[in-house]
Amino acid sequence: MVIDLLLVAGASNGVVLAFRELSVLELTAVCINLTLLLVFLFIVSARFVAVCCGRTRLWKDNLVGSAVDIRQNGVADGEEVRNIVIGKRYKASALCCFYVLLVYVFVLGYDGIGLIREGARGESGNSAWTVLLLPAALSLAWFVLSFSVLYCKYKAAEKCPLLLRVWWIASFIICLCMLCADGKGFLEEGSDQLDSHVLANIIVTPAFAFLCFVAAGGATGIQVSSNSGLQEPLLLEEEAGCLKVTPYSEAGLFSLISLSWLDPLLSIGAKRPLELKDIPLLAPKDRSKANYKILNSSWEKLKAENPQKPPSLAWAILKSFWKEAWRNAIFAGLNTLVSYVGPYMISYFVDYLCGKESYPNEGYVLAGILFAAKLVETITTRQWYLGVDIMGMHVRSALTAMVYRKGLRLSSSARQNHTSGEIVNYMAVDVQRVGDFAWYLHDIWMLPLQIILALAILYKNVGIASLATLIATVVSIIATVPVARIQESYQDKLMAAKDDRMRKTSECLRNMRILKSQAWEDRYRLILEEMRTVEFKYLRKALYSQAFITFIFWSSPIFVSAITFGMCILLGGQLTAGSVLSALATFRILQEPLRNFPDLVSMMAQTKVSLDRISGFLQEEELPEDAITTLPRGISNVAIEIKNGDFCWDQSLPTSTLSNMHIKVEKGMRVAVCGVVGSGKSSFLSCILGEIPKISGEVRICGSAAYVPQSAWIQSGNIEENILFGSSMDKAKYKSVIHACSLKKDLELFSHGDQTIIGDRGINLSGGQKQRVQLARALYQDADIYLLDDPFSAVDAHTGSELFKEYILTALAAKTVVFVTHQVEFLPAADLILVMKEGQIIQAGIYDELLQAGTDFNTLVEAHHEAIEAMDFCNLVSEESDENDNLKSLVTVEMPNSASITGLAKEVQEGVSSSEQKAIKEKKKAKRSRKKQLVQDEERERGRVSMKVYLSYMTAAYKGLLIPLIILAQTMFQVLQIASSWWMAWANPQTVGDEPKTGSMMLIGVYMALAFGSSWFIFIRAVLVATFGLAAAQKLFLKMLRTVFRAPMSFFDSTPSGRILNRVSIDQSVVDLDIPFRLGGFAATTIQLLGIIGVMTQVTWEVLLLVIPMAIACVWMQKYYMASSRELVRIVSIQKSPIIHLFAESIAGAATIRGFGQEKRFMKRNLYLLDCFARPFFCSVAAIEWLCLRMELLSTFVFSFCVVLLVSLPAGSIDPSMAGLAVTYGLNMNNRLSRWILSFCKLENKIISIERIHQYCHIPSEAPAVIEDSRPPSSWPENGTIQLIDLKIRYKESLPVVLHGVSCIFPGGKKIGIVGRTGSGKSTMIQALFRLIEPEGGRIIIDNIDISTIGLHDLRNRLSIIPQDPTLFEGTIRDNLDPLAEHPDQDIWQALDKSQLGDVVRQKEQKLDTPVLENGDNWSVGQRQLVSLGRALLKQARILVLDEATASVDSATDNLIQKIIRSEFKDCTVCTIAHRIPTVIDSDMVLVLSDGRVAEYDTPARLLEDKSSMFLKLVSEYSSRSSGVPDF
């Protein structure tokens, strides 16, 4: 008992003595903090009890019946919506609290480890534990304080709680007192006074001072504002995501460093797949418009400074974005400096482990310095990389906008130098490459800095031998120069080959309908495959040269280190484990810039090529702004005036396109322009628009102009958008325009009305509908001058008459109209007729005057009358005089005094208000049912990239056999690398004076064998990766190309060409050049990371305790990140297509856009699409940095733990050399970990390109080209009889039926005329005949063979077509007539002579090799149609289809063509679709279609005898139009 009492007394006495060891201030701090903690716990407990009591009382009150009050309060509370704004003061307070907590936890850990070490050595006394008392109490207190601050945010408290404020002020006062005491002690005792508590006190003082300041004010920095329900914005949820600007623009310092501003977006992405509307808008300074203005301004200034010298685009970019470049340079420089701290400190670290301690706690100081350096390195790396990405984004946006603007302004001669495919490549590839160079910009100056720093560290470790390092490094760098030149030449050739392939691909996609109709798709696919073979040849050279460069530069650090160590040994220097490990760590850091140097040189070469290409394009000639003089509306009565005008499309030619132009058109005049094919009619309109280069003379117009081109240009979008063309909606005006353009009935036929989405190039509209949409677009603009290029050629007789009456005579009565036409019947209504021949106006006057004058005009009119006389129905018409009067009344109208659009609008106004509500409902309904449209939004996969995609790629080459070999080569490299480092650390003495474990020659010999052996494995890996990548890329490309070319026509109708081009250009480039190296890089970093962890755990197995949780955390974060990143990358890919599509569309319609003066609107649209692309791109790159930052911070803590562990272990318990080796590898750990995660994420992001190509490798195919078991006889069809049996057609399952059960027989060898109103299904029937659309029901039988049972090529090769839209391919006249090279030149010349083009081609210098430009732009539309006729003459098929084949030629040429067809195809079945009645009147049979049904089918004579016949009505309309024109 006594003994027990003595023990208790002794223990309590020990505690008292222990407490006495604490200073009074420390004891005071402990007591105050614990007291305040107890008060806090008491308050929390009291509140909890009060809440519980309150709930009980509330429950009782509820029973009594006061629930009504509660409900009322609930409603009142619910009406208020609180807006909470978290200010910078609150964020700083929270940051300070957590900072102080972190410091005290660190001190607690440090003191705890110190205590363990002392215990291990047996040095600690009974009272040693008191050292933990202060940091433990403070850690606990600040844990409570930190979470109290977070609770303020949760409760949205605007004032700090009183206890919190008292606690902060008390802490600051204690801190100041301690500082004074410590300062006094330092002065008396010197540095012996310094310990962890003193340092912690100094570090936390600024945070305490700030918190005391906040406590004095009392405000938390949280602002709460209440809004009643009435103030809530309407439609709060609708498109809310699109309305908010990215938090990045206003993020605080902590948010910017930690990238936590991205958290809200990532949390949405983790819950569900992201959509574009979830992604916030860019800050105004990051938007395309701002960056375009800056770059364009710099470019224009450079051009103005020295007009003789070509400006430097690179200098313009640097001048525009130098601030961003400078900011990134600061981060890059700081990052480089701190990255060398580790290698510098390693020798000191090994010395310390060997027992050389320079000052107390040196090990922990070294650990702290290493930790701080890695922390700064991590933060600066992420800020640098994000800054580089943002700068690249700015450069890309600005350059793309400049290229787009230039494309809209190109002159005709400059346009011929750059095809649309090339211009798309400038945007898709070259601009991308220039933007990517931002990554390499700082490497130019950082490489010398890194070499200097490395040499300084090496000089410290190996002395004068570091000079050998410098020489070896310089040699390594110089060796790359010739390789870089080779790379540049390959890149040039690769880009040129890619341009050619893209140009041809673009052309094939545009004209896929004609390729399939003529069964030429295989021939053109082979041409593309040949072009790809040329491209592949340079791709192979580029990739294998890249493999060689990889070998050189992975070997160069090994070469440099071997030279350095060898020289040191030769000079008699003493190598130690510390100096060797420091040198090896330095070489490892130097390895990165040396390894990146070939990329730098290669990128500089590629970027120079791209800059030169873009710069050359931007300096091309633009349309001169002074080509025409535009006067404001109302200044002059002369609307158009041309004086002494000479114009020429190609100024290198000796003759002008237009010459001796003298014309004056007064305001309100109607001017008709006529002449034979190729006489210069369209060029005449172009000279008024300023499109054709002016050699001499003057063109002046007064007011605004609207232009309707001959080849319809329709934008993707709905019909309403095409008509409004950027103008605001005016219901009355819109209705009047629809009425004037005879579009009302067509819109009723469409299930979505004017909300119908138009396919690529207006694919789901008939030729006539396209033309009338164009006319409506022009009319809605309410211009002063209307220039119409043959607007009535594509419409039927009735619609033509209606259009002429309602459009030109009524709607444009007060306007100046210049219209080109081949319809002679419209000429009498013109105030002035211009007759053109060979580029000159040979006659000008009114109808009667020109008729009396004779000559060329007379020839045109006589040809027209011949055609009318051929229709022997005049007697019939005269007998039915009453009916004729009625018919005439259809096309005769009183001329109104002022019939402008606004005048028409007033007439329609009355009917609008009543039906306006209905129209709005209809429009909403149409928008809701968009899913049934022909063109859908681009599809994208959702969720994780399927393993099938990875496997399809990995097995694409050699069935995946190369993958294990690549992994084996990389593993061998890593094993030999570690072995070489281990050898140098083990074999050298640990300190100066110790004996080495082996001889010098043995030492360096083994090292070189291991090191160079590893570099050979890298060479093998690089070659295998290149071989694998090439084979896989080629296989995927060919599979996609063949699948796309075998796709049914419906795929091309519903898929904008931009989507396909995106895959064959951008996605294919990624597969060619990026993915194989990404895959190899991922394998390399995985194996390197495993190697680093292996080395560290070999030395200190305790690291595994942190590595395993870190790995789990990494995997979790990676999954959390990938959920958003994957969708962001997919959205980025999808947002690229509209930019390319708009670009291609705008280039095609540049003349129309300029004609309407709409360049600014299209420029704005382009900038908007660029921002839609930049938004997900910006978030995507920020998300990568978000992930890498967290990963690197984790690995930094693991590394620091390892270092602290090594320092804390008792001396002698571990080999210092091995510990140094672990630190050497650990220095690289955070870099490798982030590289590993980054390479995996980038691989998954890039693999989306394969996913997208994979989609297009599995498009459902059309029927087989040849069915071997069911081939028709070689002589089929002998007779040419066509039977249609109950034929039903629809374009898509969700779209309405177009042909409703059509049944008829076309007898063999007969001429069949097919007529009907626009949109009645004529062209659809022809498509069914060629099986471009497969029937939904019914059959087509040709000569007793059901065409659905034979191969498509067997069918299409036996049919011939002259299509509605004449198509020429880039190449020569010979290629266009005979692409399959089946006919001799003699046959080709005969075909040209018969199609009236022989003389034209003979006049050309190169005859049959005369070039044809893209789209046949150097040939008139009429001439293109004649080339199509030549193709048919050459093919000589038994069945010929003419789909509006003569719509674009004059009457005389039409008559001639009809005679040729009659003589050359007299034994053939000829199906003719025509709007000109003379073209079909002499047919053996006439089929009249109406709304997709057979209305009539008989001989023309019998149909004309039937008084109720629709054909009679069509004929009468045409006749009335032709003979009754003077009545207009």
Side-chain angles (χ1 to χ4, degrees), residues 450-684:
Q450 286 167 317
I451 290 169
I452 290 164
L453 289 170
L455 288 172
I457 294 170
L458 289 168
Y459 183 76
K460 170 183 158 293
N461 290 312
V462 297
I464 199 73
S466 59
L467 281 174
T469 309
L470 177 62
I471 294 162
T473 305
V474 171
V475 168
S476 299
I477 290 169
I478 290 171
T480 61
V481 175
V483 183
R485 284 187 179 154
I486 293 167
Q487 274 283 88
E488 187 177 356
S489 73
Y490 289 154
Q491 282 295 333
D492 275 350
K493 287 168 183 169
L494 182 63
M495 287 308 300
K498 191 184 283 291
D499 280 350
D500 290 342
R501 176 174 65 80
M502 283 304 300
R503 186 169 67 240
K504 201 71 186 172
T505 307
S506 180
E507 184 178 63
C508 290
L509 293 176
R510 273 199 313 275
N511 303 312
M512 189 54 77
R513 189 173 296 276
I514 191 74
L515 290 182
K516 286 190 175 291
S517 303
Q518 302 278 12
W520 290 346
E521 70 265 40
D522 282 353
R523 169 67 186 146
Y524 277 83
R525 178 179 56 75
L526 288 171
I527 290 171
L528 282 175
E529 286 182 12
E530 285 164 15
M531 288 178 148
R532 171 68 181 177
T533 305
V534 174
E535 182 188 354
F536 188 71
K537 182 176 76 175
Y538 295 118
L539 182 67
R540 184 191 289 118
K541 288 179 178 176
L543 288 187
Y544 280 132
S545 62
Q546 186 66 42
F548 183 67
I549 289 169
T550 305
F551 164 65
I552 290 173
F553 279 91
W554 279 76
S555 304
S556 60
I558 296 165
F559 165 68
V560 169
S561 61
I563 293 286
T564 306
F565 291 144
M567 186 58 69
C568 185
I569 289 165
L570 281 174
L571 294 172
Q574 173 74 67
L575 285 174
T576 63
S579 61
V580 163
L581 289 170
S582 180
L584 284 173
T586 307
F587 291 137
R588 190 165 284 115
I589 290 186
L590 195 58
Q591 191 175 23
E592 283 298 315
L594 285 180
R595 197 184 299 157
N596 289 341
F597 190 72
D599 287 346
L600 172 63
V601 173
S602 172
M603 269 306 290
M604 284 175 75
Q606 290 177 32
T607 309
K608 184 180 178 298
V609 170
S610 291
L611 279 169
D612 290 345
R613 281 158 56 92
I614 297 168
S615 183
F617 177 68
L618 292 176
Q619 290 173 68
E620 282 286 11
E621 182 189 26
E622 292 185 8
L623 282 170
E625 291 180 9
D626 61 346
I628 55 170
T629 308
T630 306
L631 304 174
R633 180 186 295 186
I635 276 190
S636 167
N637 273 333
V638 178
I640 303 167
E641 186 174 12
I642 304 174
K643 293 181 185 173
N644 306 318
D646 273 24
F647 306 88
C648 190
W649 287 112
D650 187 353
Q651 296 186 17
S652 61
L653 295 175
T655 54
S656 300
T657 309
L658 299 175
S659 55
N660 302 323
M661 285 282 149
H662 295 277
I663 183 152
K664 187 183 282 188
V665 178
E666 292 190 3
K667 190 180 171 188
M669 281 180 74
R670 274 193 298 277
V671 180
V673 184
C674 57
V676 295
V677 170
S679 58
K681 303 182 293 298
S682 297
S683 297
F684 173 68

Side-chain angles (χ1 to χ4, degrees), residues 155 163 338 353 364 496 805 838-839 852 928 975 1012 1069 1345:
K155 292 297 285 181
L163 179 64
V338 294
L353 292 177
Y364 293 110
K805 179 186 85 171
E838 294 174 1
Q852 289 164 12
R928 278 198 300 273
V975 168
F1012 283 110
S1069 285
I1345 291 180

Side-chain angles (χ1 to χ4, degrees), residues 276-575:
L276 183 63
K277 68 177 181 182
D278 297 321
I279 300 166
L281 302 173
L282 294 173
K285 67 181 177 62
D286 293 324
R287 290 177 196 166
S288 306
K289 186 178 179 181
N291 294 301
Y292 161 68
K293 280 185 174 177
I294 293 166
L295 183 57
N296 195 49
S297 168
S298 301
W299 176 249
E300 293 301 330
K301 277 179 191 169
L302 280 178
K303 285 207 296 191
E305 280 169 14
N306 192 349
Q308 273 70 45
K309 187 184 171 190
S312 165
L313 183 59
W315 182 238
I317 291 169
L318 207 57
K319 275 180 75 174
S320 304
F321 302 105
W322 68 270
K323 284 182 184 172
E324 290 176 58
W326 182 244
R327 197 181 310 122
N328 293 337
I330 292 169
F331 284 122
L334 189 57
N335 179 268
T336 304
L337 290 171
V338 294
S339 67
Y340 279 91
V341 170
Y344 180 78
M345 302 301 291
I346 280 180
S347 57
Y348 293 107
F349 188 77
V350 174
D351 287 349
Y352 170 78
L353 292 177
C354 289
K356 289 184 178 178
E357 190 170 355
S358 306
Y359 49 89
N361 296 319
E362 183 190 0
Y364 293 110
V365 171
L366 289 172
I369 291 169
L370 286 171
F371 171 71
K374 294 309 286 180
L375 196 64
V376 173
E377 186 185 345
T378 296
I379 291 166
T380 51
T381 304
R382 304 289 49 104
Q383 293 301 318
W384 169 28
Y385 285 2
L386 182 61
V388 159
D389 275 322
I390 292 171
M391 184 181 168
M393 178 182 81
H394 289 169
V395 171
R396 276 192 295 274
S397 296
L399 271 180
T400 306
M402 284 179 72
V403 170
Y404 180 82
R405 176 178 160 276
K406 189 73 183 183
L408 287 181
R409 293 185 174 187
L410 276 186
S411 70
S412 59
S413 55
R415 179 72 184 80
Q416 289 174 15
N417 298 334
H418 305 271
T419 64
S420 55
E422 280 176 7
I423 300 171
V424 166
N425 254 1
Y426 295 146
M427 271 183 64
V429 181
D430 293 303
V431 166
Q432 179 74 28
R433 192 167 284 160
V434 174
D436 288 347
F437 188 70
W439 274 91
Y440 298 87
L441 182 65
H442 301 295
D443 288 355
I444 299 166
W445 60 266
M446 275 168 58
L447 187 67
L449 175 64
Q450 286 167 317
I451 290 169
I452 290 164
L453 289 170
L455 288 172
I457 294 170
L458 289 168
Y459 183 76
K460 170 183 158 293
N461 290 312
V462 297
I464 199 73
S466 59
L467 281 174
T469 309
L470 177 62
I471 294 162
T473 305
V474 171
V475 168
S476 299
I477 290 169
I478 290 171
T480 61
V481 175
V483 183
R485 284 187 179 154
I486 293 167
Q487 274 283 88
E488 187 177 356
S489 73
Y490 289 154
Q491 282 295 333
D492 275 350
K493 287 168 183 169
L494 182 63
M495 287 308 300
K498 191 184 283 291
D499 280 350
D500 290 342
R501 176 174 65 80
M502 283 304 300
R503 186 169 67 240
K504 201 71 186 172
T505 307
S506 180
E507 184 178 63
C508 290
L509 293 176
R510 273 199 313 275
N511 303 312
M512 189 54 77
R513 189 173 296 276
I514 191 74
L515 290 182
K516 286 190 175 291
S517 303
Q518 302 278 12
W520 290 346
E521 70 265 40
D522 282 353
R523 169 67 186 146
Y524 277 83
R525 178 179 56 75
L526 288 171
I527 290 171
L528 282 175
E529 286 182 12
E530 285 164 15
M531 288 178 148
R532 171 68 181 177
T533 305
V534 174
E535 182 188 354
F536 188 71
K537 182 176 76 175
Y538 295 118
L539 182 67
R540 184 191 289 118
K541 288 179 178 176
L543 288 187
Y544 280 132
S545 62
Q546 186 66 42
F548 183 67
I549 289 169
T550 305
F551 164 65
I552 290 173
F553 279 91
W554 279 76
S555 304
S556 60
I558 296 165
F559 165 68
V560 169
S561 61
I563 293 286
T564 306
F565 291 144
M567 186 58 69
C568 185
I569 289 165
L570 281 174
L571 294 172
Q574 173 74 67
L575 285 174

Side-chain angles (χ1 to χ4, degrees), residues 84-192:
I84 300 168
V85 179
I86 307 298
K88 289 182 180 176
R89 174 184 287 223
Y90 173 82
K91 290 177 183 176
S93 303
L95 181 64
C96 286
C97 286
F98 278 100
Y99 168 74
V100 173
L101 173 62
L102 190 69
V103 169
Y104 284 134
V105 168
F106 185 85
V107 170
L108 182 63
Y110 177 87
D111 288 350
I113 290 169
L115 208 59
I116 292 165
R117 282 181 69 194
E118 286 174 13
R121 292 172 187 162
E123 296 170 6
S124 62
N126 291 332
S127 61
W129 61 270
T130 51
V131 78
L132 300 178
L133 192 59
L134 180 66
L138 291 173
S139 296
L140 189 60
W142 281 95
F143 178 83
V144 169
L145 284 169
S146 300
F147 283 92
S148 299
V149 172
L150 290 182
Y151 188 72
C152 289
K153 181 183 175 183
Y154 174 71
K155 292 297 285 181
E158 292 181 280
K159 284 280 181 184
C160 294
L162 182 62
L163 179 64
L164 198 67
R165 292 163 68 185
V166 169
W167 207 331
W168 281 349
I169 292 167
S171 296
F172 181 58
I173 293 167
I174 293 167
C175 176
L176 286 178
C177 295
M178 282 183 166
L179 271 180
C180 292
D182 292 336
K184 186 180 174 185
F186 184 80
L187 291 172
E188 290 171 2
E189 298 174 25
S191 61
D192 290 344

